[in-house]
Structure formats: structure tokens, C-alpha cells
Amino acid sequence: MKEQGKIFAGLSVFVLAIAITYMIWTGKSDHGLEAAGTTALFLAFGLCAFIGFYLAFTAKRVDTGAGDNPEAQVSDDAGEVGFFAPHSWQPLSLAIGGALAFLGVIFGWWLLFWSIPIILIGLFGWVFEFYRGENQNQ
């Protein structure tokens, strides 16, 4: 994780340099400062800095992984990574509810009355998916 933190820290420095350059460059144009691109680049800098800080902070608390060892083999990183759901219909429910919610912003707020229950069904179904039914953990 230490190496990934360094990569994101370097990326955040690069994005910050690009954001400042973009802000100065567009500020000198006839139309003035271009606010959308400048804001997006500074937000991208913030996101890269957050991820880099998190990875560097977490690397201090966990064991050194195979990715941090220059002498490591590919097989050193083999093994169980974690538990991943084999299948789930809940993301489809959340996607339909989210699409209806965004359509509610466009066509009318009354669509939120249809989308919120669908979103809640998908959310509760996804959270409690492995607490009931055939996939229940024991």
C-alpha cells in the first residue's frame, strides 16, 4: 500500500500543477476564467490527495504486502482476497430507482414518490442479502 500511496501523492501533485496552469491560462483569455474546468481539476486534485493520504495512512497500520516488496514473486500475492457476492439483483433495483430519481429532477418531483421506495428496497435488500434465504451465513 505504501507504493500506491506514493503513486497517488505524485498524481495529486501533477493534477495540482495542471489545475494551476489551466487556471492561469484560461484567466488570461478574452472570456475570463473558465470556472467548470478549473473547479473539476482542483476537485480531482483533492480526490487524488485523499486517496494518497488514506493509502499512506493505512500502510502504516497493516503488514507489508507483496506489492511493497521489490523481491516479491507473483505467487506471494496469491490466496484469498475476500468474499464477493456471486450474484445479486439488488444493484439492478438501485439502478432503476436512481434512474427514476434523476428523471424526477428533469420531468417532475412527483417521480421521487415512485423512486424512493424502489431505492429503499434495493438498499435494504443489498445490505441484508446474506442474512436471509439460501445464502445466509452461519
Side-chain angles (χ1 to χ4, degrees):
M1 281 195 172
K2 190 182 295 184
E3 293 301 318
Q4 290 94 341
K6 289 179 184 178
I7 289 170
F8 271 98
L11 184 63
S12 66
V13 170
F14 172 74
V15 172
L16 179 64
I18 294 298
I20 292 172
T21 304
Y22 186 80
M23 182 178 67
I24 293 171
W25 193 357
T26 61
K28 291 182 180 181
S29 70
D30 296 335
H31 303 292
L33 181 67
E34 201 275 316
T38 304
T39 304
L41 284 170
F42 277 109
L43 288 175
F45 157 71
L47 290 174
C48 290
F50 283 146
I51 294 171
F53 173 75
Y54 170 77
L55 290 173
F57 181 75
T58 305
K60 293 178 183 177
R61 300 185 307 157
V62 298
D63 295 334
T64 303
D68 294 327
N69 184 4
E71 301 294 324
Q73 299 291 324
V74 174
S75 61
D76 292 341
D77 213 12
E80 185 176 336
V81 178
F83 174 74
F84 300 98
H87 56 70
S88 178
W89 287 96
Q90 308 309 325
L92 180 63
S93 173
L94 285 172
I96 291 170
L100 280 175
F102 283 111
L103 285 174
V105 174
I106 296 170
F107 294 116
W109 294 102
W110 58 271
L111 273 174
L112 287 177
F113 293 116
W114 294 94
S115 64
I116 289 175
I118 296 172
I119 290 173
L120 289 176
I121 288 170
L123 185 64
F124 281 110
W126 210 355
V127 169
F128 297 113
E129 184 171 22
F130 295 104
Y131 291 100
R132 58 184 168 75
E134 65 183 35
N135 295 322
Q136 181 178 358
N137 291 337
Q138 298 178 4

